[in-house]
Amino acid sequence: VRDRHAGRQTHYSARRRALAPLVDWTSKMAGFWPNRFDRLENLLKRMDQ
Amino acid sequence: MSTPETLSVVVERELPYPPAKLWRALTQPQLIAEWLMNNDFEPTVGHRFNFRAEPQPGWNGIIDCEVLVVEPNKSLSYTWNSGEADLAIKSVVTLSLTPTGAGTLLRMEQTGFRPDQKQNYQGAKYGWQHFFGKLEQVLARAD
């Protein structure tokens, strides 16, 4: 029972490490898009029609 | 059995312009370059293109994309894949336009996942709404 528990812990840690780049990337994109929307608004204002 | 792991970014903004005007800014390459990035986009399902940004340490600045959905004045979706090896991320960007009294509600949803999760890529390609198990949303309010 103890070995199985330790096995699950190892698996969980490995998954968290594998997902760390995804977490970092998501944080970056959460800042990226509002900034891009500001630029889009600026463009829309400048567009004639 | 592994559970799909995805993270989403959602940004919404109401803009005082009609959907058709927004659609042009979202789908004409020279207009896209003004607010997003340099690109060789075409509004055709299946078209493969790139966004190009300034290279940074650890990233060549290139984003690989394929157009998934083109519904004029309503919905635009493409894959957005960047990075390499350990830092590689696959994602799907969906831009939705909804007319409102004051103009258009523009919604951007980007759902990202690690490339080794093959089932996620299939799911995202054919309609993310139906395939994701655990979905965490990072809601970034524009105002």
Side-chain angles (χ1 to χ4, degrees):
Chain A
V1 168
R2 193 184 146 145
D3 283 346
R4 261 187 266 138
H5 179 69
R8 272 202 294 279
Q9 293 276 43
T10 307
H11 177 67
Y12 180 64
S13 301
R15 268 177 100 195
R16 281 178 65 184
R17 275 197 301 277
L19 291 171
L22 180 59
V23 173
D24 290 343
W25 175 87
T26 305
S27 303
K28 280 205 195 86
M29 300 316 289
F32 171 84
W33 285 103
N35 170 265
R36 295 292 128 168
F37 273 30
D38 289 344
R39 292 164 61 101
L40 172 61
E41 272 203 85
N42 194 283
L43 169 67
L44 290 163
K45 250 180 241 154
R46 289 183 283 120
M47 279 165 67
D48 286 333
Q49 309 131 24
Chain B
M1 189 180 301
S2 72
T3 325
E5 296 280 7
T6 70
L7 288 174
S8 281
V9 177
V10 178
V11 180
E12 288 183 326
R13 193 174 293 195
E14 186 165 9
L15 297 161
Y17 307 99
K21 182 169 181 175
L22 256 71
W23 184 256
R24 278 197 299 280
L26 262 45
T27 57
Q28 290 182 10
Q30 69 277 19
L31 293 179
I32 297 169
E34 298 268 332
W35 66 277
L36 191 48
M37 275 174 282
N38 286 339
N39 66 92
D40 52 334
F41 173 85
E42 279 174 35
T44 308
V45 173
H47 176 70
R48 289 180 188 265
F49 66 100
N50 294 122
F51 286 112
R52 287 173 187 272
E54 281 298 313
Q56 299 160 17
W59 183 43
N60 61 5
I62 298 172
I63 299 165
D64 295 309
C65 307
E66 181 182 335
V67 180
L68 299 175
V69 175
V70 178
E71 289 177 51
N73 304 331
K74 276 185 65 180
S75 182
L76 178 65
S77 180
Y78 38 81
T79 60
W80 173 298
N81 301 329
S82 65
E84 291 166 287
D86 288 348
L87 299 179
I89 301 288
K90 287 186 182 289
S91 71
V92 177
V93 170
T94 302
L95 295 148
S96 312
L97 309 176
T98 308
T100 69
T104 306
L105 178 67
L106 175 64
R107 183 176 197 269
M108 190 298 305
E109 174 146 6
Q110 182 170 28
T111 302
F113 46 90
R114 297 279 287 145
D116 51 0
Q117 295 176 295
K118 293 193 194 77
Q119 70 220 72
N120 288 318
Y121 186 68
Q122 301 289 338
K125 199 167 182 183
Y126 297 111
W128 63 269
Q129 292 95 333
H130 305 295
F131 288 94
F132 294 153
K134 182 176 171 179
L135 189 70
E136 292 184 47
Q137 302 238 358
V138 177
L139 190 72
R141 285 261 169 237
D143 49 355

